[in-house]
Amino acid sequence: MKINKLISAVALAAVTTVTSTAALAGDKIRIATEGAYAPFNLINEQGELAGFDVEIAKALCAEMKADCEIVAQDWDGIIPGLMGRKYDAIIASMSVTEERQRVVEFSDRYYSNVLAFVAAEGKELDTSEAGLKGLTVGAQRATIAGQYLEDNLADVVDIKLYDTQDNAYLDLANGRLDALLSDKFPAYDWMRSEDGKGFDFKGEDIDIDDEIAIAIRKGDPLKEKFNAAIKAIVENGTYEKINARYFPFSIY
């Protein structure tokens, strides 16, 4: 779902030589999430990390019988923080990409994602290249949506990229964007909020075969523990219960 900035060559070289010291079941596992990507990860009114990603992380830790601490980390620094051993895993709606796979390893998916255009309900929006030509379209920076715009529509639309999804929503609501390209599920959640009333999806979903998974350092045996735990919570119904608290349809 999200794409980090390129890791420096120094960091990449370091990753290929590091020796894993993965936390084992019963040990302390530190997990990073962003805390700014509702409903998947956010800071709630009590100042605590919450959301789908956080609930999945807690369920996986319970399944592994692991003592876990979940910490917030700004998106642009989330992979460097993993490589710097600030934490052991990232559960933050991170898309599996070839670029990232050169630096980190990923677990099996814990949900799948599509992209969608969002605009005002009464606005006629043709999402073909011809229909979008000359419009101002936003997305969060360093995400699959932002990358899609830059790769496919840079010569068609005026692209505006934002540091957070909330700031992209704000400009859309204030009329500074003609449309927003977003991961569908967080946009669905926003449109159910007071701020998102009056907006709707436009055109067809963009299926980019986007799988969301847990990032860990290369060679870390924690990967297989997470894979087993993901399979277990899907099979025992825990995943379905968490999913239902956020969406009336399965995102797995």
Side-chain angles (χ1 to χ4, degrees):
M1 181 171 291
K2 292 188 166 185
I3 303 176
N4 283 82
K5 294 178 180 178
L6 285 171
I7 308 301
S8 69
V10 172
L12 182 58
V15 128
T16 61
T17 58
V18 72
T19 301
S20 172
T21 57
L24 301 177
D27 288 346
K28 190 78 169 183
I29 301 175
R30 284 174 60 85
I31 297 170
T33 196
E34 184 184 11
Y37 197 67
F40 291 95
N41 54 78
L42 62 140
I43 306 294
N44 64 20
E45 293 179 356
Q46 291 72 45
E48 301 166 336
L49 284 166
F52 181 87
D53 287 332
V54 175
E55 289 199 46
I56 289 293
K58 290 178 178 178
L60 295 175
C61 289
E63 184 65 35
M64 295 187 294
K65 297 180 172 57
D67 180 13
C68 292
E69 178 185 9
I70 304 173
V71 300
Q73 169 65 53
D74 289 345
W75 185 252
D76 284 347
I78 206 163
I79 283 183
L82 177 68
M83 306 328 304
R85 297 183 174 272
K86 290 175 62 179
Y87 31 81
D88 306 296
I90 299 169
I91 302 181
S93 290
M94 182 173 284
S95 297
V96 178
T97 67
E98 290 183 6
E99 181 183 22
R100 286 200 185 113
Q101 287 177 313
R102 294 197 291 268
V103 181
V104 301
E105 286 196 56
F106 284 97
S107 70
D108 295 337
R109 83 176 193 278
Y110 67 94
Y111 75 92
S112 301
N113 172 61
V114 294
L115 302 180
F117 285 98
V118 180
E121 281 182 349
K123 183 181 181 68
E124 291 293 331
L125 185 70
D126 177 355
T127 58
S128 68
E129 286 193 17
L132 291 170
K133 190 170 182 61
L135 298 184
T136 301
V137 181
Q140 186 180 0
R141 184 188 310 118
T143 65
I144 291 288
Q147 192 67 55
Y148 183 91
L149 290 179
E150 292 181 317
D151 289 347
N152 297 280
L153 296 171
D155 297 329
V156 177
V157 303
D158 177 18
I159 300 171
K160 286 193 174 181
L161 300 179
Y162 297 84
D163 58 342
T164 68
Q165 189 78 359
D166 285 343
N167 285 337
Y169 291 145
L170 183 63
D171 265 14
L172 179 65
N174 288 338
R176 288 188 283 268
L177 295 174
D178 294 302
L180 175 72
L181 185 63
S182 171
D183 296 326
K184 187 169 187 177
F185 305 132
Y188 169 84
D189 184 72
W190 177 71
M191 289 188 296
R192 294 190 301 165
S193 72
E194 191 64 33
D195 291 339
K197 285 182 178 178
F199 292 86
D200 203 356
F201 293 120
K202 304 292 180 177
E204 298 295 322
D205 293 345
I206 302 172
D207 188 351
I208 50 174
D209 195 26
D210 186 18
E211 295 194 340
I212 312 305
I214 302 166
I216 60 273
R217 289 182 291 271
K218 282 184 175 288
D220 194 328
L222 198 54
K223 172 183 174 178
E224 297 309 319
K225 294 182 179 294
F226 274 124
N227 284 347
I230 291 168
K231 182 179 180 181
I233 67 169
V234 169
E235 291 179 348
N236 66 23
T238 300
Y239 184 98
E240 183 179 4
K241 290 177 182 177
I242 295 171
N243 189 131
R245 287 198 280 272
Y246 295 89
F247 305 103
F249 45 79
S250 175
I251 67 171
Y252 181 70

